[in-house]
Amino acid sequence: MNKAYPAFPPIFEIPDAALPARCFHCHATIDERQRVDGSHEGRDISFCCSGCHAAYLLIRGAGLDAFYRRRQATSAASTGHRLVATAYSDAYLERFVVRKGDSASISILIDRIRCAACVWLIEKMLGRIEGVTDVRIEYLSHIARVEFDPGKIAAGEIFDTVAALGYGPRPYTVSAARAVAREERRDLLVRFGTAAFLTMQLMACSIALYAGYFHGMEPGMKRNLQLFSLVLTTPVIFYSGWPFLRGAFRSLRNMAPNMDLLVSIGALSAYIYSLAAFAGGGEVYFESAAMIVTVLLAGRLLERGARDRAVAGTERLLALAPERAMRMKGEASEEVDVASLEVGDMVLVRPGENFPVDGEVVAGITEVDESPVTGESLPAIRREGDGVLAGTLNLSTPVTVEVRKVAAESFIARTARLVEEARTRTPAVQALADRCAALLVPVVLAMALLSLLISAYRGIALVDALMTAVSVVLIACPCALGLAIPAAVVAGSGSAARAGVIFRGGDVLERMGMVTDVVFDKTGTVTEGRPRVERVTAFHPFTGEELLLLAASLEASTLHPFGRAVTEHARSLAGSIPSCTNVRSFPGMGVSGEVGERQVLAGNTRFLSENGIDFGNIPLQIASSRMYIGCDGKPAGMIDVRDGVRAGVAGLVGYFRQMGIGGRLLSGDRTGEAARIAAEIGVGRSSGDMLPEDKAAEIRQMQGEGKRVLMIGDGINDAPALAVADVGCAFSGGMDVAMETSDLVLMRGDLELVRFAHGVALRTMRVVRQNLVWAVVYNAVGIPLAMSGRLTPVFAAAAMTMSSLCVVANSLRLARLPNGGG
């Protein structure tokens, strides 16, 4: 059904009887043939259609009547659509659902969000649904992340609820988000182009009017030029400036004055005064009103471009994976959405194409460019049995890949979720800046009124007094305060993402810049994570090969680096490994199971001692770690495994030492081995034989002493410590549980990235402080200057635009940080 939406709210008071009936829910003009009547808070109300009436009943039934008091005016197509289900089936939406244990989540791109009240309404409505556990909507991008219990509610019901409120939900993809951004940029460009063209014509009239003011002009000519100025200015104010007017009107409806209100008051004051002066035969200032809108639109256009550049690094990362793939069905092939691929599907990837999902090569051999995700500059050879990551580039020959993870669980998708989460988390100081920005608007309005009264009291001409008040309104810049922190966080995190470092929020940047101590895990973090077997010592009656096979049988199903080293060594010697049943893993301790009729244990001495097997005190002959093996309640032997220290660790420890940050090594390995590795890398303190809970307790103790702790780890036994630390850091190639509990994710196993991340955090918080100081000083100097009458409205508007641009430009310096550099 087509609806006639009002072009803009009325400027003057018009009797209600003269106004067309408007829908209570969406403000559209009511077609009497479709009219639906109702009541709200004791007064009669009307709706344009049954859809709006149903949406109203839905909102009221949920106890969210406050929406109608809080909301801001909506524009065309914002709400008021029929209460219908979306076109997405549960089966289709399932492709975009990310499952984790008993919970699930989905990212939704929501069209037609026009204001903060829309965000408030959707979050409240979805939060009331049984089974929905968390809802977060990022207002700037209109992306909602909804976590829910799939056993109680399906994704389709969530989409239907959003649609019932009059909004347009669709599964989030990078291309969909880009389409929305393109449309917004196009709208802004058209409005600015219109304003700039008309304002240039207006300035020609103004020059003629100024010349006539000083040298005289025939009254009829003056009247015609003023009329022409009015005709040119009106579309600039009410079309090009409509975003400001709409935002101002909404801010009043929401009782939250904002910058749009200041701009609208300034432009409308000059316009209405000139309109009255034109009617009374006085001097007009239409060019001031038009220039205010044009200058501010130019500022918004530049600011939009700057913001796009600030997040360019992140967007390039998210765009690596294609959205279409060639699925093989026997000898035939078909092009399908990547989201429709399932585990086990076969995909053909040609040279020059990016791999669409994480998978395994099943046919062919090729070279793969993995630099976008691993940082390795040299191509990697991938043949049958090798894994490939989504977003990497096939360089040489066509290969067939079997899908191992659906698109929503791929490497790129996981990275996208980390970045998405980062955008919804802000530093603690942001709350203070937001409160200051909110208070600035009413304070400025009061100061503008005060300057007008003082000017009138001093006998200054009304036009001069009004122009001074308008300048006060326009010079104030809550935007500079509002942008000071987000602009820096977006630029800093975008630069880090481009280099392979993912901060999971602006608060992580803040905490990273404040760490006082760094704690290292040993195996796979300080060491390379690629250990090799150095010695096998078997006790009678076992031989070395028997002992090795027993241990390999146990470790074949584990992911511990030492276990993999033993398994690979056994396979290289014996070819096959006996099967093991009833395998149980004890993180930080060892593993147990049954090989044939034998009960076998492998792990550290503490684990075997607790199970009644005592090895006594047997010294190491070489610098290595030792795995103890017990069989049927008796010592069976030992396997010494050595893991080299990762390159760059000593340099990183030295960097932190220079920065005054202490270091400590925590390990589940023997105390002596932990001390040896700590001495080799230059860490002063170390602890060994630690269980996962011991590591977490140690970090809590350090925090109790007032220290802010950075924990770097990658294994399952690091997850509790990573979660407890002020900043937890893990490699993307590590265990999923470690990544999920970390705040900082390194996209490749290069510890130099930790130094880079710390440098980015320090620079970002430095830029945040600079931005805040600039915003405060600008307003402290600019407002009194405007109150003194030394600034015209046009210069005041230009100064406000420059203030916001300075904040964004200063933040963009972070986007030029060298990749992976310190």
Side-chain angles (χ1 to χ4, degrees):
M1 179 177 62
N2 295 324
K3 300 181 182 180
Y5 287 86
F8 50 85
I11 303 300
F12 306 104
E13 287 293 329
I14 302 176
D16 290 342
L19 289 173
R22 304 280 184 201
C23 176
F24 179 74
H25 181 73
C26 73
H27 291 291
T29 302
I30 295 178
D31 183 341
E32 291 298 328
R33 294 170 297 180
Q34 302 288 334
R35 182 185 183 119
V36 179
D37 294 320
S39 63
H40 179 74
E41 296 181 348
R43 61 188 178 91
D44 293 334
I45 56 175
S46 299
F47 303 90
C48 64
C49 65
S50 57
C52 281
H53 185 229
Y56 164 75
L57 293 176
L58 183 65
I59 293 170
R60 187 178 181 184
L64 300 176
D65 306 58
F67 168 70
Y68 294 104
R69 294 190 296 271
R70 291 169 54 97
R71 71 173 181 184
Q72 303 157 344
T74 55
S75 63
S78 62
T79 52
H81 291 258
R82 291 185 181 278
L83 191 61
V84 295
T86 66
Y88 303 112
S89 66
D90 288 337
Y92 177 78
L93 293 177
E94 187 64 27
R95 304 168 185 170
F96 301 91
V97 173
V98 178
R99 295 182 180 272
K100 185 168 62 177
D102 295 332
S103 65
S105 64
I106 188 170
S107 295
I108 309 172
L109 182 62
I110 303 178
D111 293 338
R112 301 191 288 273
I113 287 181
R114 294 291 183 261
C115 58
C118 296
V119 172
W120 175 86
L121 172 65
I122 297 170
E123 287 182 339
K124 290 292 184 182
M125 289 298 296
L126 293 181
R128 296 286 182 91
I129 301 175
E130 183 180 2
V132 173
T133 56
D134 185 52
V135 183
R136 284 181 295 172
I137 300 177
E138 184 189 356
Y139 174 63
L140 291 178
S141 63
H142 299 175
I143 298 173
R145 180 175 171 81
V146 183
E147 296 183 6
F148 61 97
D149 182 350
K152 296 181 179 179
I153 186 173
E157 296 177 61
I158 297 172
F159 273 61
D160 289 347
T161 301
V162 176
L165 296 174
Y167 301 94
R170 47 180 162 167
Y172 169 71
T173 62
V174 175
S175 61
R178 283 181 170 177
V180 172
R182 277 197 304 269
E183 183 60 32
E184 290 178 354
R185 284 194 296 270
R186 177 184 172 278
D187 179 73
L188 187 57
L189 188 60
V190 170
R191 291 183 189 276
F192 169 71
T194 302
F197 175 77
L198 294 177
T199 301
M200 285 190 291
Q201 314 309 312
L202 180 61
M203 293 308 296
C205 293
S206 301
I207 292 173
L209 286 171
Y210 284 134
Y213 177 79
F214 290 106
H215 301 288
M217 179 179 288
E218 195 271 324
M221 176 63 72
K222 177 180 178 180
R223 185 76 174 172
N224 288 336
L225 286 174
Q226 288 182 337
L227 178 60
F228 190 50
S229 298
L230 170 61
V231 172
L232 291 172
T233 304
T234 300
V236 174
I237 297 296
F238 297 110
Y239 170 69
S240 296
W242 174 238
F244 300 113
L245 300 177
R246 181 178 58 200
F249 185 60
R250 288 173 174 172
S251 74
L252 291 175
R253 290 288 299 269
N254 201 39
M255 295 179 292
N258 60 11
M259 191 201 76
D260 286 341
L261 181 61
L262 298 182
V263 173
S264 298
I265 289 175
L268 288 176
S269 296
Y271 179 81
I272 293 173
Y273 175 84
S274 298
L275 199 61
F278 172 71
E283 299 299 329
V284 298
Y285 296 88
F286 287 117
E287 76 284 351
S288 295
M291 279 296 292
I292 289 169
V293 172
T294 304
V295 168
L296 291 174
L297 281 175
R300 281 200 173 183
L301 195 60
L302 292 173
E303 185 181 305
R304 175 75 198 217
R307 288 183 181 182
D308 289 344
R309 288 193 297 274
V311 301
T314 302
E315 295 302 326
R316 281 196 296 269
L317 179 66
L318 300 182
L320 287 174
E323 296 189 358
R324 304 284 291 177
M326 191 64 68
R327 182 168 59 191
M328 305 297 294
K329 285 192 173 181
E331 296 299 322
S333 63
E334 59 176 344
E335 187 174 347
V336 298
D337 285 336
V338 170
S340 67
L341 294 176
E342 299 177 353
V343 174
D345 282 350
M346 300 296 173
V347 178
L348 176 66
V349 183
R350 302 182 181 92
E353 295 179 346
N354 290 71
F355 289 91
V357 291
D358 295 353
E360 180 181 310
V361 177
V362 294
I365 178 172
T366 188
E367 291 180 307
V368 178
D369 179 8
E370 299 181 341
S371 60
V373 295
T374 67
E376 296 293 337
S377 57
L378 295 177
I381 303 296
R382 292 291 178 259
R383 51 174 57 89
E384 291 183 21
D386 291 340
V388 290
L389 293 175
T392 56
L393 178 65
N394 184 10
L395 295 175
S396 305
T397 59
V399 290
T400 302
V401 175
E402 182 178 353
V403 177
R404 291 303 188 193
K405 290 184 179 180
V406 296
E409 291 292 342
S410 70
F411 173 84
I412 291 295
R414 291 165 64 195
T415 303
R417 289 196 293 275
L418 295 180
V419 175
E420 181 185 318
E421 182 180 353
R423 289 178 175 176
T424 61
R425 291 168 56 178
T426 57
V429 70
Q430 178 71 59
L432 176 61
D434 288 342
R435 286 196 296 270
C436 292
L439 289 174
L440 181 62
V441 176
V443 169
V444 168
L445 291 175
M447 296 180 75
L449 179 61
L450 179 63
S451 70
L452 182 63
L453 296 176
I454 292 175
S455 297
Y457 176 76
R458 294 170 57 190
I460 297 175
L462 176 60
V463 63
D464 294 332
L466 181 62
M467 291 299 108
T468 298
V470 169
S471 297
V472 172
V473 168
L474 292 176
I475 195 72
C477 192
C479 255
L481 271 175
L483 284 172
I485 297 172
V489 168
V490 168
S493 59
S495 175
R498 188 173 65 251
V501 177
I502 303 296
F503 287 95
R504 297 183 70 166
D507 54 332
V508 179
L509 274 164
E510 185 178 30
R511 296 198 304 270
M512 184 67 173
M514 299 169 63
V515 296
T516 61
D517 287 79
V518 58
V519 172
F520 295 92
D521 169 57
K522 183 181 77 69
T523 303
T525 303
V526 168
T527 59
E528 294 177 342
R530 295 191 296 270
R532 61 185 184 277
V533 174
E534 291 281 334
R535 176 177 297 181
V536 177
T537 304
F539 298 162
H540 183 76
F542 297 99
T543 66
E545 183 176 344
E546 288 175 334
L547 181 70
L548 190 62
L549 289 174
L550 285 175
S553 300
L554 273 180
E555 300 287 355
S557 60
T558 70
L559 294 175
H560 194 282
F562 287 1
R564 291 201 300 267
V566 170
T567 302
E568 291 172 3
H569 188 64
R571 282 201 176 102
S572 68
L573 296 177
S576 61
I577 297 174
S579 61
C580 183
T581 58
N582 298 326
V583 179
R584 295 182 62 194
S585 180
F586 302 86
M589 296 284 284
V591 61
S592 67
E594 296 176 8
V595 180
E597 297 181 355
R598 292 173 168 175
Q599 182 67 36
V600 184
L601 294 90
N604 56 30
T605 54
R606 177 177 175 181
F607 176 60
L608 272 76
S609 178
E610 289 179 357
N611 284 275
I613 303 175
D614 185 16
F615 274 80
N617 187 18
I618 304 174
L620 279 172
Q621 301 299 316
I622 56 176
S624 63
S625 298
R626 175 167 287 173
M627 178 187 297
Y628 296 86
I629 296 93
C631 183
D632 294 331
K634 298 179 181 179
M638 305 167 294
I639 300 176
D640 293 322
V641 181
R642 182 177 181 134
D643 191 7
V645 173
R646 190 187 294 268
V649 177
L652 179 64
V653 172
Y655 164 78
F656 280 125
R657 188 184 301 115
Q658 290 177 356
M659 300 296 295
I661 297 173
R664 187 174 301 191
L665 181 72
L666 303 182
S667 175
D669 204 349
R670 297 176 306 102
T671 300
E673 178 64 7
R676 184 189 69 81
I677 294 292
E680 184 175 344
I681 65 174
V683 172
R685 299 184 62 183
S686 65
S687 299
D689 294 315
M690 301 196 81
L691 297 174
E693 55 267 31
D694 296 332
K695 295 180 181 180
E698 182 76 12
I699 290 177
R700 288 194 189 94
Q701 181 178 341
M702 294 172 66
Q703 291 169 329
E705 298 169 359
K707 297 175 180 177
R708 297 183 179 92
V709 181
L710 164 66
M711 169 69 190
I712 307 174
D714 75 330
I716 292 175
N717 59 338
D718 298 324
L722 289 169
V724 168
D726 295 274
V727 179
C729 174
F731 301 113
S732 65
M735 306 298 179
D736 286 352
V737 66
M739 286 184 62
E740 290 296 331
T741 54
S742 64
D743 304 296
L744 179 66
V745 178
L746 308 181
M747 307 305 287
R748 58 184 188 270
D750 182 2
L751 283 178
E752 278 297 306
L753 290 178
V754 179
R755 183 200 300 226
F756 174 72
H758 187 250
V760 169
L762 293 177
R763 288 178 175 85
T764 300
M765 297 317 297
R766 188 182 306 129
V767 169
V768 164
R769 289 190 290 271
Q770 292 169 353
N771 288 348
L772 288 174
V773 169
W774 164 253
V776 171
V777 170
Y778 164 83
N779 283 286
V781 173
I783 293 175
L785 195 63
M787 291 184 70
S788 68
R790 290 181 170 86
L791 288 178
T792 65
V794 172
F795 282 113
M800 180 177 69
T801 297
M802 289 304 299
S803 177
S804 295
L805 288 177
C806 285
V807 166
V808 175
N810 187 44
S811 300
L812 275 177
R813 295 188 299 118
L814 295 168
R816 295 192 295 270
L817 290 175
N819 290 1

